[in-house]
Amino acid sequence: MEEANEPERTLLPLFPLGTVLFPGLVLPLHVFEPRYRTLVQHLAELPASLPREFGVIAIRRGWEVGRVDGEQGETTDASITAGEALSLYEVGCAAEIRQLTELPDGRFDLMTVGRRRFRLLGLARNDAPYLTGEVEWLPEPKGEPDREEELAAGVLAAFQQYLKAVRSDDDSDGEQLPDDPTVLSHLVAATASLTLEDRQSLLAEPDTISRLKAERALLRREAALLGQVRAVPVALSDLAVPSSPN
């Protein structure tokens, strides 16, 4: 019985980035570095019945993502250069390729969507030029079911107030936000103006209730800061999609 309850393990190609992807959120990527061109080519050759997915995992330290042009939330060129020993965060999110455009010079434009969270158990040794990780898929439990609706309503109200505070227009009243608590928790984590460490912490929360509780505290913190400085450290247009250096 214990073995049946163990998380499923698999090998997953990895794309280390200076950003955090959440399930259900869109991440556009411009791929030009040779190792990741090879990754995309390998995925494009998979049978149509198999998902074309790779693991997006945030870089803790060791390699730097070099921005070439573009702004957060836009398709952007980036390269990863080796520095000190690579250190990745433990929890990432699989990205499924929904749209793939190959450019004449061999680069790719991708539109990807976050699918499911995983925990990185270790790096696998193989001949591929890109990193491959041994991962286990993480479930999405609700947590305390009797508190789910209450917490979701509180976070939704706090997030709507947050949007009003950071936006110069009055469109937040018409904002279409999800009713599902898990979907809401991922959307808030991806779109609020948070540090990479904050976002990574939210991605790694064990269940929806824990994530909503953490977001409620973070939104209160951000609201207090906004009340003091009357400013937000990102462009307002960035709130529509998760930031990406690639």
Side-chain angles (χ1 to χ4, degrees):
M1 293 295 294
E2 291 182 0
E3 292 182 358
N5 293 329
E6 288 184 357
E8 178 190 354
R9 295 188 178 191
T10 189
L11 294 179
L12 185 69
L14 299 179
F15 203 138
L17 288 174
T19 191
V20 179
L21 176 64
F22 289 86
L25 274 294
V26 173
L27 178 64
L29 294 170
H30 178 74
V31 180
F32 72 94
E33 194 175 357
R35 76 186 84 180
Y36 296 113
R37 290 193 202 182
T38 302
L39 166 58
V40 174
Q41 289 167 349
H42 286 175
L43 293 175
E45 293 167 0
L46 291 175
S49 59
L50 296 177
R52 296 182 296 177
E53 65 180 2
F54 54 88
V56 171
I57 191 161
I59 302 167
R60 190 191 302 270
R61 64 176 183 275
W63 286 7
E64 294 182 352
V65 179
R67 180 179 293 276
V68 178
D69 57 30
E71 298 294 334
Q72 289 183 336
E74 298 177 358
T75 303
T76 309
D77 285 346
S79 62
I80 297 178
T81 54
E84 58 181 291
L86 175 65
S87 176
L88 302 172
Y89 282 98
E90 184 181 34
V91 177
C93 180
E96 181 177 11
I97 299 175
R98 295 290 179 86
Q99 183 176 336
L100 185 157
T101 302
E102 183 172 5
L103 303 177
D105 60 1
R107 294 174 295 144
F108 292 95
D109 283 332
L110 306 179
M111 185 62 65
T112 72
V113 176
R115 289 194 67 222
R116 47 184 173 168
R117 300 181 306 145
F118 64 84
R119 176 175 287 107
L120 179 63
L121 303 176
L123 298 178
R125 296 181 179 275
N126 55 37
D127 296 330
Y130 49 82
L131 295 176
T132 300
E134 181 185 4
V135 307
E136 62 179 14
W137 300 114
L138 297 177
E140 288 289 346
K142 300 293 185 182
E144 307 170 54
D146 57 332
R147 297 206 57 199
E148 186 182 31
E149 296 300 328
E150 170 199 347
L151 278 168
V155 169
L156 180 59
F159 188 53
Q160 288 173 327
Q161 290 299 316
Y162 170 82
L163 291 178
K164 288 181 180 179
V166 300
R167 290 179 172 175
S168 57
D169 53 42
D170 296 322
D171 291 341
S172 57
D173 287 338
E175 191 79 27
Q176 294 297 316
L177 296 173
D179 295 325
D180 182 273
T182 300
V183 177
L184 175 66
S185 75
H186 290 149
L187 177 66
V188 170
T191 57
S193 177
L194 302 173
T195 65
L196 184 144
E197 289 76 15
D198 285 338
R199 285 198 173 105
Q200 182 64 42
S201 177
L202 292 173
L203 181 69
E205 289 290 350
D207 53 56
T208 298
I209 292 297
S210 299
R211 189 174 303 112
L212 288 171
K213 287 179 179 178
E215 286 170 348
R216 184 175 59 182
L218 286 170
L219 288 171
R220 287 173 177 171
R221 181 195 74 184
E222 293 302 305
L225 290 173
L226 287 170
Q228 293 176 7
V229 302
R230 299 291 180 181
V232 63
V234 293
L236 300 181
S237 60
D238 296 345
L239 297 174
V241 294
S243 60
S244 168
N246 197 7

